Protein backbone atom coordinates (compact mmCIF):
# COMPACT_ATOMS: atom_id res chain seq x y z
CA UNK A 1 0.00 0.00 0.00
CA UNK A 2 2.85 2.39 0.87
CA UNK A 3 4.53 1.64 -2.45
CA UNK A 4 1.34 2.50 -4.36
CA UNK A 5 0.93 5.72 -2.41
CA UNK A 6 4.54 6.62 -3.01
CA UNK A 7 4.09 6.28 -6.78
CA UNK A 8 1.06 8.55 -6.74
CA UNK A 9 2.93 11.10 -4.63
CA UNK A 10 5.94 10.96 -6.95
CA UNK A 11 3.73 11.59 -9.99
CA UNK A 12 2.15 14.58 -8.25
CA UNK A 13 5.56 16.00 -7.32
CA UNK A 14 6.66 15.62 -10.92
CA UNK A 15 3.47 17.42 -11.94
CA UNK A 16 4.29 20.32 -9.63
CA UNK A 17 7.86 20.55 -10.96
CA UNK A 18 6.80 20.40 -14.61
CA UNK A 19 4.07 22.99 -14.08
CA UNK A 20 6.38 25.45 -12.35
CA UNK A 21 9.36 24.95 -14.68
CA UNK A 22 7.32 25.20 -17.87
CA UNK A 23 5.55 28.26 -16.53
CA UNK A 24 8.86 29.87 -15.60
CA UNK A 25 10.24 29.14 -19.05
CA UNK A 26 7.20 30.73 -20.68
CA UNK A 27 7.43 33.75 -18.38
CA UNK A 28 11.13 34.13 -19.24
CA UNK A 29 10.39 34.05 -22.98
CA UNK A 30 7.68 36.69 -22.57
CA UNK A 31 9.92 38.82 -20.34
CA UNK A 32 12.64 38.81 -23.01
CA UNK A 33 10.04 39.78 -25.60
CA UNK A 34 8.92 42.71 -23.45
CA UNK A 35 12.49 43.88 -22.84
CA UNK A 36 13.03 43.83 -26.60
CA UNK A 37 10.16 46.25 -27.01
CA UNK A 38 7.30 43.82 -27.53
CA UNK A 39 3.97 43.79 -25.74
CA UNK A 40 2.90 41.70 -22.77
CA UNK A 41 1.46 38.95 -24.96
CA UNK A 42 -1.95 38.91 -23.24
CA UNK A 43 -3.12 37.65 -19.86
CA UNK A 44 -0.18 37.76 -17.43
CA UNK A 45 -1.75 35.10 -15.26
CA UNK A 46 -1.97 32.66 -18.15
CA UNK A 47 1.67 33.37 -19.00
CA UNK A 48 2.69 32.17 -15.54
CA UNK A 49 0.17 29.27 -15.53
CA UNK A 50 1.09 28.03 -19.01
CA UNK A 51 2.90 25.05 -17.49
CA UNK A 52 -0.50 23.63 -16.49
CA UNK A 53 -0.77 22.32 -20.06
CA UNK A 54 2.12 19.96 -19.35
CA UNK A 55 1.82 19.33 -15.61
CA UNK A 56 -1.71 18.04 -16.13
CA UNK A 57 -0.28 14.91 -17.74
CA UNK A 58 1.55 13.96 -14.53
CA UNK A 59 -1.57 14.63 -12.45
CA UNK A 60 -3.56 12.39 -14.80
CA UNK A 61 -0.94 9.65 -14.43
CA UNK A 62 -1.20 10.03 -10.64
CA UNK A 63 -4.95 9.58 -10.85
CA UNK A 64 -4.54 6.49 -13.00
CA UNK A 65 -2.00 4.99 -10.58
CA UNK A 66 -4.33 5.59 -7.65
CA UNK A 67 -6.75 3.03 -9.10
CA UNK A 68 -4.97 0.76 -11.59
CA UNK A 69 -2.31 -0.27 -9.07
CA UNK A 70 -4.99 -2.24 -7.24
CA UNK A 71 -5.84 -4.19 -10.40
CA UNK A 72 -2.25 -4.82 -11.48
CA UNK A 73 -1.25 -6.04 -8.00
CA UNK A 74 -4.45 -8.00 -7.32
CA UNK A 75 -5.17 -5.84 -4.25
CA UNK A 76 -8.59 -5.00 -5.67
CA UNK A 77 -9.92 -8.27 -4.18
CA UNK A 78 -8.68 -7.28 -0.74
CA UNK A 79 -10.15 -3.80 -1.16
CA UNK A 80 -13.54 -5.22 -2.17
CA UNK A 81 -13.45 -7.60 0.79
CA UNK A 82 -12.90 -4.65 3.13
CA UNK A 83 -15.41 -2.44 1.27
CA UNK A 84 -17.92 -4.69 -0.57
CA UNK A 85 -19.86 -1.73 -2.00
CA UNK A 86 -18.32 -0.91 -5.39
CA UNK A 87 -19.68 2.62 -5.34
CA UNK A 88 -18.34 3.27 -1.86
CA UNK A 89 -14.93 1.93 -2.85
CA UNK A 90 -14.77 4.18 -5.91
CA UNK A 91 -15.89 7.17 -3.84
CA UNK A 92 -13.28 6.40 -1.17
CA UNK A 93 -10.53 6.21 -3.79
CA UNK A 94 -11.68 9.48 -5.34
CA UNK A 95 -11.92 11.24 -1.99
CA UNK A 96 -8.47 10.16 -0.87
CA UNK A 97 -6.95 11.19 -4.18
CA UNK A 98 -8.78 14.54 -4.20
CA UNK A 99 -7.35 15.48 -0.82
CA UNK A 100 -3.72 15.03 -1.83
CA UNK A 101 -4.13 16.13 -5.46
CA UNK A 102 -5.88 19.37 -4.52
CA UNK A 103 -3.07 20.27 -2.12
CA UNK A 104 -0.51 19.48 -4.83
CA UNK A 105 -2.49 21.32 -7.49
CA UNK A 106 -2.83 24.47 -5.40
CA UNK A 107 0.88 24.31 -4.60
CA UNK A 108 1.73 24.01 -8.29
CA UNK A 109 -0.60 26.87 -9.21
CA UNK A 110 0.60 29.21 -6.47
CA UNK A 111 4.27 28.43 -7.10
CA UNK A 112 3.85 28.99 -10.84
CA UNK A 113 2.30 32.38 -10.21
CA UNK A 114 4.95 33.37 -7.68
CA UNK A 115 7.91 32.34 -9.86
CA UNK A 116 6.39 33.61 -13.10
CA UNK A 117 5.32 36.98 -11.69
CA UNK A 118 8.79 37.47 -10.22
CA UNK A 119 10.31 36.89 -13.66
CA UNK A 120 7.81 39.18 -15.42
CA UNK A 121 8.32 41.97 -12.87
CA UNK A 122 11.91 42.19 -14.09
CA UNK A 123 10.51 43.27 -17.45
CA UNK A 124 8.17 45.82 -15.89
CA UNK A 125 5.01 43.67 -15.89
CA UNK A 126 3.74 43.56 -12.33
CA UNK A 127 0.93 41.43 -10.92
CA UNK A 128 -0.23 40.17 -7.54
CA UNK A 129 -3.06 38.27 -5.90
CA UNK A 130 -5.06 41.48 -5.42
CA UNK A 131 -5.38 42.01 -9.17
CA UNK A 132 -8.84 41.13 -10.58
CA UNK A 133 -9.22 37.42 -11.31
CA UNK A 134 -5.74 36.38 -10.20
CA UNK A 135 -6.70 34.66 -6.95
CA UNK A 136 -9.52 32.86 -8.76
CA UNK A 137 -7.09 31.70 -11.43
CA UNK A 138 -4.76 30.26 -8.78
CA UNK A 139 -7.64 28.37 -7.17
CA UNK A 140 -8.80 27.36 -10.64
CA UNK A 141 -5.40 25.89 -11.37
CA UNK A 142 -5.71 23.61 -8.37
CA UNK A 143 -9.21 22.54 -9.44
CA UNK A 144 -8.09 21.94 -13.02
CA UNK A 145 -5.20 19.66 -12.07
CA UNK A 146 -7.23 17.79 -9.45
CA UNK A 147 -10.24 17.21 -11.69
CA UNK A 148 -7.99 16.04 -14.51
CA UNK A 149 -6.50 13.49 -12.13
CA UNK A 150 -9.99 12.37 -11.09
CA UNK A 151 -10.92 11.91 -14.76
CA UNK A 152 -7.97 9.55 -15.13
CA UNK A 153 -8.88 7.75 -11.90
CA UNK A 154 -12.42 7.14 -13.19
CA UNK A 155 -11.04 6.06 -16.54
CA UNK A 156 -8.73 3.56 -14.86
CA UNK A 157 -11.68 2.14 -12.88
CA UNK A 158 -13.52 1.72 -16.17
CA UNK A 159 -10.67 0.20 -18.21
CA UNK A 160 -8.87 -1.63 -15.34
CA UNK A 161 -5.60 -1.60 -17.26
CA UNK A 162 -2.75 0.91 -16.74
CA UNK A 163 -1.57 0.84 -20.36
CA UNK A 164 -5.09 1.32 -21.73
CA UNK A 165 -5.74 4.09 -19.23
CA UNK A 166 -2.57 6.04 -20.00
CA UNK A 167 -3.17 5.56 -23.74
CA UNK A 168 -6.71 6.89 -23.38
CA UNK A 169 -5.52 9.88 -21.36
CA UNK A 170 -2.96 10.66 -24.06
CA UNK A 171 -5.67 10.35 -26.73
CA UNK A 172 -7.83 12.88 -24.86
CA UNK A 173 -4.79 15.13 -24.48
CA UNK A 174 -4.05 15.23 -28.22
CA UNK A 175 -7.72 15.37 -29.23
CA UNK A 176 -7.26 19.10 -29.76
CA UNK A 177 -4.87 18.43 -32.64
CA UNK A 178 -7.40 16.14 -34.31
CA UNK A 179 -10.43 18.40 -33.88
CA UNK A 180 -8.65 21.71 -34.41
CA UNK A 181 -8.55 24.68 -32.05
CA UNK A 182 -12.06 26.06 -32.69
CA UNK A 183 -13.91 22.87 -31.79
CA UNK A 184 -11.18 21.35 -29.63
CA UNK A 185 -11.08 24.21 -27.15
CA UNK A 186 -14.79 23.68 -26.48
CA UNK A 187 -14.97 19.88 -26.22
CA UNK A 188 -11.50 18.55 -25.32
CA UNK A 189 -11.53 18.02 -21.53
CA UNK A 190 -8.00 19.14 -20.71
CA UNK A 191 -7.92 22.05 -23.15
CA UNK A 192 -11.36 23.33 -22.17
CA UNK A 193 -10.69 22.86 -18.47
CA UNK A 194 -7.48 24.88 -18.59
CA UNK A 195 -9.55 28.04 -19.19
CA UNK A 196 -10.20 28.21 -15.44
CA UNK A 197 -6.51 28.93 -14.86
CA UNK A 198 -6.74 32.27 -16.67
CA UNK A 199 -7.76 35.56 -15.09
CA UNK A 200 -9.02 37.27 -18.23
CA UNK A 201 -11.39 34.90 -19.99
CA UNK A 202 -15.16 34.70 -20.40
CA UNK A 203 -15.11 30.92 -20.84
CA UNK A 204 -13.31 29.98 -17.62
CA UNK A 205 -16.31 28.48 -15.86
CA UNK A 206 -17.90 26.90 -18.92
CA UNK A 207 -14.56 25.37 -19.88
CA UNK A 208 -14.18 23.82 -16.45
CA UNK A 209 -17.74 22.47 -16.68
CA UNK A 210 -16.70 20.65 -19.86
CA UNK A 211 -13.88 18.93 -17.98
CA UNK A 212 -16.20 18.18 -15.07
CA UNK A 213 -18.84 16.73 -17.41
CA UNK A 214 -16.27 14.39 -18.96
CA UNK A 215 -15.14 13.31 -15.48
CA UNK A 216 -18.66 12.65 -14.19
CA UNK A 217 -19.67 10.76 -17.35
CA UNK A 218 -16.64 8.46 -17.11
CA UNK A 219 -17.21 8.00 -13.37
CA UNK A 220 -20.81 6.91 -13.99
CA UNK A 221 -19.63 4.44 -16.63
CA UNK A 222 -16.95 3.16 -14.25
CA UNK A 223 -19.49 2.67 -11.47
CA UNK A 224 -21.78 0.74 -13.81
CA UNK A 225 -18.84 -1.38 -14.95
CA UNK A 226 -17.73 -2.14 -11.39
CA UNK A 227 -21.20 -3.38 -10.52
CA UNK A 228 -21.40 -5.66 -13.57
CA UNK A 229 -17.94 -7.22 -13.48
CA UNK A 230 -16.03 -9.36 -11.04
CA UNK A 231 -12.85 -8.06 -9.47
Amino acid sequence: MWRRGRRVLLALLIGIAVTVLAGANNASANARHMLDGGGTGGDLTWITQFGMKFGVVAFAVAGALAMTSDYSSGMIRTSLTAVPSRGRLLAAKATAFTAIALAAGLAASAASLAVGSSILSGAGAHMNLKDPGVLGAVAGGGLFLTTSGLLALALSALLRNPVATVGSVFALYVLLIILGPDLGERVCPFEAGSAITRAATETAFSGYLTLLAWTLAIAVAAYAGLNRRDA
Side-chain angles (χ1 to χ4, degrees):
M1 183 178 294
W2 163 242
R3 180 176 295 179
R4 297 198 304 276
R6 186 171 58 185
R7 289 173 180 172
V8 172
L9 182 59
L10 178 60
L12 291 174
L13 290 175
I14 291 173
I16 294 174
V18 169
T19 299
V20 175
L21 290 174
N25 182 65
N26 190 53
S28 296
N30 278 269
R32 289 193 297 270
H33 180 68
M34 294 177 209
L35 291 172
D36 289 338
T40 60
D43 182 3
L44 293 179
T45 305
W46 175 236
I47 290 175
T48 66
Q49 303 287 61
F50 182 76
M52 295 277 175
K53 282 180 170 286
F54 306 99
V56 69
V57 176
F59 273 74
V61 169
L65 287 172
M67 192 73 194
T68 56
S69 58
D70 275 7
Y71 286 104
S72 59
S73 65
M75 283 296 295
I76 187 63
R77 295 180 180 84
T78 303
S79 298
L80 287 173
T81 299
V83 186
S85 171
R86 308 295 175 94
R88 189 177 299 175
L89 175 63
L90 184 59
K93 289 280 187 181
T95 300
F97 176 77
T98 297
I100 187 172
L102 184 58
L106 289 173
S109 187
S112 287
L113 181 77
V115 174
S117 61
S118 177
I119 294 172
L120 291 173
S121 65
H126 302 284
M127 59 181 294
N128 58 64
L129 289 177
K130 295 181 180 180
D131 292 339
V134 173
L135 185 59
V138 172
L143 283 175
F144 167 62
L145 293 174
T146 302
T147 308
S148 297
L150 285 172
L151 183 152
L153 186 149
L155 195 58
S156 65
L158 176 64
L159 299 177
R160 307 202 300 181
N161 183 285
V163 175
T165 299
V166 172
S168 298
V169 167
F170 181 74
L172 290 174
Y173 186 76
V174 301
L175 190 58
L176 176 69
I177 300 174
I178 300 171
L179 297 179
D182 291 337
L183 178 60
E185 289 178 0
R186 296 196 302 270
V187 303
C188 297
F190 301 131
E191 185 65 26
S194 68
I196 201 173
T197 68
R198 309 178 192 185
T201 176
E202 298 177 355
T203 61
F205 190 63
S206 62
Y208 176 71
L209 286 180
T210 298
L211 171 61
L212 189 60
W214 272 88
T215 303
L216 291 175
I218 295 173
V220 169
Y223 173 72
L226 282 171
N227 280 331
R228 287 199 309 265
R229 297 177 297 192
D230 293 332

